[in-house]
C-alpha cells in the first residue's frame, strides 16, 4: 500500500514538473526590440544657386534670371536645420526634417530688365529700376525607412517619403503691370512703386537608399540618396537629395555628426495667361551644396 502511494505521488510530481516545464516553454517569446527617438539640431553652410524663367521685354525671348548674380541675393549662408526620427525597432522607422533658406537683397539700378508671370499676372521690371527681392524657401521632408539588409556593423535601407517646399518670391520696387491685350513693349509704360509676391507649395514625393557602417567602435559612416521626377497637368518637378557623413558617439545618448549635402530641385508651373503674351511660365531652379554640423540626442 505504501509502495503504491509512493509510486502515485512520484508520478503526480513528475507530471506537475513536466506540465510546468511545458507551460514555461510556450510562454517564452522572442525579445522585444527597444524603440528609439532621435532628435538632431544643427546648421549647414549653403552655397546656393537659384534662378527663374523670365522674358526679355525688348527681344521677347525667354532666359533664366539669376537671383545671385542679377538680383544680388547672398550666395553663401550658414543656415539652421532640424531632424527627428522614431525607430520602432531595428528595421522600421519614420523621419522628419526641416531646413530654412531665407534671403532678400536690394538693387538700386537694375541692369537686367525682365517680365515675369506671378499669380496669373504679367509684371514688367525695366533696366535702371529700384528692386528689392525676397526668396524664402522652407524644405520639409517626411518619410518611412525600412532596413532590408543588416549585418553586425552595417545597415542598408529603402526610404519612401515626400519633400514639401514652401516658396515665397517677392519683388518690391518700380514695377509695371501688363494689362490684358497689351503687347510686351506696351506694358512697360506703366511702372509704379508696388509690391508683388507669389507663394507656392511644391510637394515632391521621393524614393531613396540609405545606409550606415560602423567602421570603428563609436564611429559610423552614414549616407542617403533620394530622387524623384513628376509631371502632372500644370506642374513638373524633379528633385535630387544626397548626403554623406560621419557620426561620432560622445556618450550613450549624445552624438555629433559632420556631413556634406547636395540638394537640387527644379519646379515648373504653367499659367493660362502666359500663352497669350508669350511670357515665360513660373519656373524656379534651386540648388545648394555644402557641409553640415549637428548634435543629436537619443532616448
Amino acid at each position: 500500500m505504501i509502495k503504491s502511494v509512493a509510486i502515485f505521488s512520484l508520478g503526480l510530481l513528475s507530471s506537475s514538473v513536466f506540465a510546468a516545464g511545458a507551460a514555461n516553454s510556450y510562454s517564452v517569446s522572442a525579445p522585444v526590440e527597444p524603440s528609439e527617438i532621435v532628435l538632431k539640431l544643427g546648421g549647414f553652410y549653403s552655397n546656393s544657386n537659384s534662378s527663374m524663367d523670365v522674358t526679355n521685354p525688348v527681344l521677347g525671348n525667354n532666359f533664366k534670371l539669376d537671383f545671385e548674380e542679377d538680383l544680388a541675393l547672398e550666395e553663401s549662408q550658414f543656415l539652421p536645420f532640424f531632424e527627428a526620427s522614431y525607430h520602432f525597432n531595428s528595421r522600421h522607422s519614420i523621419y522628419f526634417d526641416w531646413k530654412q533658406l531665407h534671403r532678400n537683397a536690394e538693387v538700386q539700378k537694375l541692369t537686367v530688365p525682365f517680365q515675369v508671370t506671378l499669380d496669373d499676372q504679367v509684371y514688367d521690371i525695366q533696366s535702371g529700376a529700384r528692386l528689392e527681392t525676397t526668396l524664402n524657401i522652407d524644405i520639409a521632408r517626411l518619410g518611412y525607412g525600412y532596413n532590408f539588409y543588416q549585418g553586425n556593423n552595417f545597415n542598408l535601407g529603402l526610404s519612401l517619403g515626400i519633400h514639401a517646399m514652401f516658396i515665397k518670391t517677392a519683388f518690391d520696387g518700380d514695377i509695371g503691370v501688363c494689362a490684358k491685350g497689351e503687347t510686351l513693349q506696351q506694358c512697360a509704360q506703366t511702372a509704379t512703386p508696388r509690391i508683388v509676391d507669389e507663394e507656392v507649395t511644391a510637394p515632391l514625393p521621393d524614393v531613396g537608399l540609405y545606409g550606415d557602417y560602423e567602421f570603428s567602435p563609436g564611429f559610423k559612416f552614414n549616407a542617403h540618396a533620394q530622387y524623384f521626377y513628376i509631371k502632372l497637368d500644370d506642374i513638373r518637378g524633379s528633385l535630387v537629395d544626397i548626403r554623406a557623413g560621419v557620426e561620432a558617439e560622445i556618450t550613450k545618448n549624445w552624438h555629433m555628426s559632420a556631413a556634406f549635402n547636395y540638394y537640387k530641385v527644379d519646379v515648373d508651373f504653367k499659367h493660362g495667361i502666359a500663352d497669350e503674351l508669350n511670357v515665360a511660365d513660373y519656373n524656379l531652379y534651386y540648388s545648394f551644396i555644402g557641409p553640415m554640423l549637428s548634435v543629436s540626442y537619443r532616448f
Side-chain angles (χ1 to χ4, degrees):
M1 179 66 178
I2 295 175
K3 184 177 180 181
S4 300
V5 172
I7 293 174
F8 177 76
S9 299
L10 184 60
L12 185 62
L13 180 61
S14 300
S15 299
S16 300
V17 172
F18 177 78
N24 288 338
S25 66
Y26 282 106
S27 64
V28 173
S29 58
V32 177
E33 296 185 30
S35 60
E36 183 180 55
I37 297 175
V38 181
L39 299 179
K40 182 180 291 187
L41 185 65
F44 65 99
Y45 188 77
S46 169
N47 189 27
S48 302
N49 178 27
S50 44
S51 62
M52 176 187 291
D53 279 354
V54 296
T55 299
N56 186 312
V58 178
L59 303 177
N61 62 301
N62 296 337
F63 70 98
K64 284 192 178 295
L65 181 73
D66 192 293
F67 281 87
E68 289 79 26
E69 291 187 9
D70 300 327
L71 302 181
L73 288 189
E74 191 173 356
E75 184 175 355
S76 300
Q77 290 178 294
F78 190 76
L79 301 163
F81 75 92
F82 168 78
E83 295 183 6
S85 59
Y86 175 62
H87 301 260
F88 301 96
N89 49 47
S90 63
R91 288 192 179 273
H92 302 273
S93 64
I94 56 175
Y95 58 85
F96 169 80
D97 63 48
W98 167 83
K99 300 181 184 74
Q100 182 186 74
L101 306 104
H102 289 188
R103 295 176 296 166
N104 73 310
E106 184 176 9
V107 176
Q108 290 297 328
K109 291 186 178 181
L110 187 70
T111 58
V112 182
F114 65 94
Q115 292 173 335
V116 62
T117 303
L118 294 174
D119 198 21
D120 291 335
Q121 177 65 61
V122 179
Y123 295 97
D124 179 271
I125 298 95
Q126 287 293 302
S127 178
R130 181 196 68 83
L131 188 67
E132 181 178 351
T133 305
T134 297
L135 180 61
N136 294 342
I137 301 177
D138 291 272
I139 304 169
R141 190 173 65 108
L142 176 66
Y144 162 77
Y146 173 69
N147 293 337
F148 62 84
Y149 189 57
Q150 294 180 307
N152 292 330
N153 58 348
F154 68 89
N155 292 290
L156 186 62
L158 178 68
S159 66
L160 180 64
I162 186 169
H163 280 68
M165 295 186 64
F166 306 93
I167 307 165
K168 176 181 174 66
T169 309
F171 300 108
D172 178 3
D174 302 323
I175 302 171
V177 179
C178 295
K180 199 167 185 178
E182 287 184 326
T183 65
L184 296 178
Q185 290 74 25
Q186 288 173 332
C187 71
Q189 308 302 317
T190 57
T192 58
R194 71 181 74 243
I195 299 175
V196 297
D197 62 61
E198 176 159 315
E199 295 188 21
V200 173
T201 300
L204 293 175
D206 61 77
V207 293
L209 286 172
Y210 65 89
D212 60 73
Y213 171 67
E214 188 174 17
F215 58 89
S216 181
F219 290 89
K220 185 182 294 185
F221 172 80
N222 49 45
H224 77 238
Q226 297 178 326
Y227 173 79
F228 202 78
Y229 176 86
I230 189 172
K231 187 175 182 181
L232 289 172
D233 298 330
D234 58 351
I235 183 173
R236 180 196 64 82
S238 63
L239 157 72
V240 177
D241 185 0
I242 301 173
R243 185 193 303 179
V246 175
E247 181 178 302
E249 179 180 314
I250 307 304
T251 68
K252 181 180 179 181
N253 299 101
W254 290 98
H255 293 237
M256 292 189 67
S257 299
F260 202 80
N261 194 194
Y262 171 71
Y263 185 91
K264 184 185 78 169
V265 66
D266 190 359
V267 183
D268 280 317
F269 294 90
K270 299 287 186 180
H271 291 284
I273 192 173
D275 294 333
E276 300 176 14
L277 292 176
N278 192 33
V279 174
D281 299 323
Y282 181 79
N283 166 276
L284 180 66
Y285 171 86
Y286 181 78
S287 69
F288 71 80
I289 184 170
M292 308 178 74
L293 296 173
S294 65
V295 60
S296 61
Y297 183 77
R298 300 164 182 262
F299 58 94

